[in-house]
Amino acid sequence: MNTAMLSPKTVYAAYLVVKFADRAYGLDFLPSEISIEVGKSRTQGQVYLSPNEGRKRPLGHAHSPNRVEPLRSRLLQEEGGAICKRKDGWMEIELGSFFIDGNDKEVKISLKEVKGQHLKGGLIVEGIELRPKY
């Protein structure tokens, strides 16, 4: 999407809006990679997708399975949020935030996991929402 569609001089947060099927599997074994690009600036981070609040992490993973863990960078200005349940029944995960400086640029947001060889299923994606953060 082009930043001309957004308000200038505004910090936006990107949220992935999802549901998990009753028999979701393989989504939280490895973290998924998130990235946000605004023009030539790119930020990367990680998120564990987990439909189960108390599910244990594989050995070597000390992070909460419901915690979004973006890496520090210029665009992601603070730690991402946990998976939050919305009033409409969907769940949202804050992927990160970015600043619109008023110049026309393209915004690209992605979530992917390509390093593991585990089967995955049961993730239902409604889309990505962009909302002013402040």
Side-chain angles (χ1 to χ4, degrees), residues 104-119:
D104 285 349
K105 297 177 184 171
E106 189 171 325
V107 177
K108 295 179 186 178
I109 301 169
S110 69
L111 174 111
K112 60 185 173 182
E113 194 284 296
V114 295
K115 294 181 181 176
Q117 298 178 3
H118 296 73
L119 293 175

Side-chain angles (χ1 to χ4, degrees), residues 21-40:
D22 291 337
R23 294 186 178 188
Y25 58 93
L27 298 170
D28 63 348
F29 188 74
L30 290 173
S32 296
E33 296 175 6
I34 57 175
S35 71
I36 298 177
E37 290 181 52
V38 179
K40 294 182 181 181

Side-chain angles (χ1 to χ4, degrees), residues 57-73:
R57 299 289 328 127
L59 289 177
H61 292 276
H63 303 94
S64 167
N66 286 342
R67 181 82 180 139
V68 178
E69 300 168 14
L71 301 174
R72 294 189 184 276
S73 73

Side-chain angles (χ1 to χ4, degrees), residues 90-108:
W90 289 85
M91 301 176 103
E92 67 182 21
I93 305 165
E94 185 176 344
L95 300 176
S97 57
F98 56 94
F99 179 72
I100 302 299
D101 61 10
N103 297 321
D104 285 349
K105 297 177 184 171
E106 189 171 325
V107 177
K108 295 179 186 178

